[in-house]
Amino acid sequence: MKKISFTIFCFLLCLCMYTPVTTHAKEIGVNKYLTEGCTAEGIHYTIYAVQPSVTHSTMSLQRAATQMYVVREIHFEGNVQPPKTWYFAERIGEHIYVGTLSLSIDQVIYGKTIATYKGYLTLVN
């Protein structure tokens, strides 16, 4: 009787120890989707906003920054050579910002070219 009780106890103990633990992880570094389109050559791309790791100073004018530092990640389909600069226009809040961003780094991952552009956008309205 003691052997059967001990065996059942060991079985239940092992069963309790094997129970998977469910945790919830906070998403970190998720890029914000902005837009997508095609280049003049017909290559599909998707643009994401990336939080800059370094804070840059901005001047304010009636609660809107006249110049804003941005980092944009552009995903191209296939292995392509991204342009060195990218003209960018974006609505942020109620204001439109434009500017030319410079290529910072590009890499090919799983058949997609990921190009990171950095620079300043200037308020136009």
Side-chain angles (χ1 to χ4, degrees):
M1 185 69 175
K2 287 183 180 182
K3 286 185 179 183
I4 295 175
S5 298
F6 181 73
T7 304
I8 293 173
F9 174 75
C10 289
F11 175 75
L12 291 175
L13 182 63
C14 290
L15 185 63
C16 290
M17 290 174 49
Y18 184 71
T19 304
V21 177
T22 304
T23 61
H24 299 281
K26 180 180 178 184
E27 290 183 338
I28 299 174
V30 176
N31 297 339
K32 178 184 170 192
Y33 169 83
L34 293 178
T35 189
E36 59 186 279
C38 288
T39 64
E41 295 82 18
I43 300 169
H44 181 264
Y45 65 85
T46 308
I47 301 176
Y48 298 92
V50 179
Q51 292 290 20
S53 58
V54 180
T55 58
H56 291 266
S57 61
T58 58
M59 299 177 293
S60 63
L61 174 66
Q62 297 177 353
R63 300 172 132 181
T66 57
Q67 197 173 54
M68 184 175 290
Y69 182 79
V70 297
V71 178
R72 297 295 179 253
E73 194 173 83
I74 303 178
H75 296 212
F76 296 93
E77 294 294 330
N79 186 356
V80 299
Q81 180 64 38
K84 299 293 181 197
T85 60
W86 189 279
Y87 178 78
F88 200 75
E90 179 180 352
R91 177 178 293 278
I92 301 174
E94 299 175 3
H95 304 284
I96 296 175
Y97 291 84
V98 298
T100 302
L101 307 179
S102 299
L103 180 65
S104 172
I105 188 169
D106 65 293
Q107 55 189 343
V108 178
I109 300 176
Y110 298 118
K112 286 188 176 186
T113 301
I114 300 174
T116 303
Y117 290 85
K118 298 178 180 180
Y120 286 93
L121 298 179
T122 305
L123 178 68
V124 292
N125 80 346

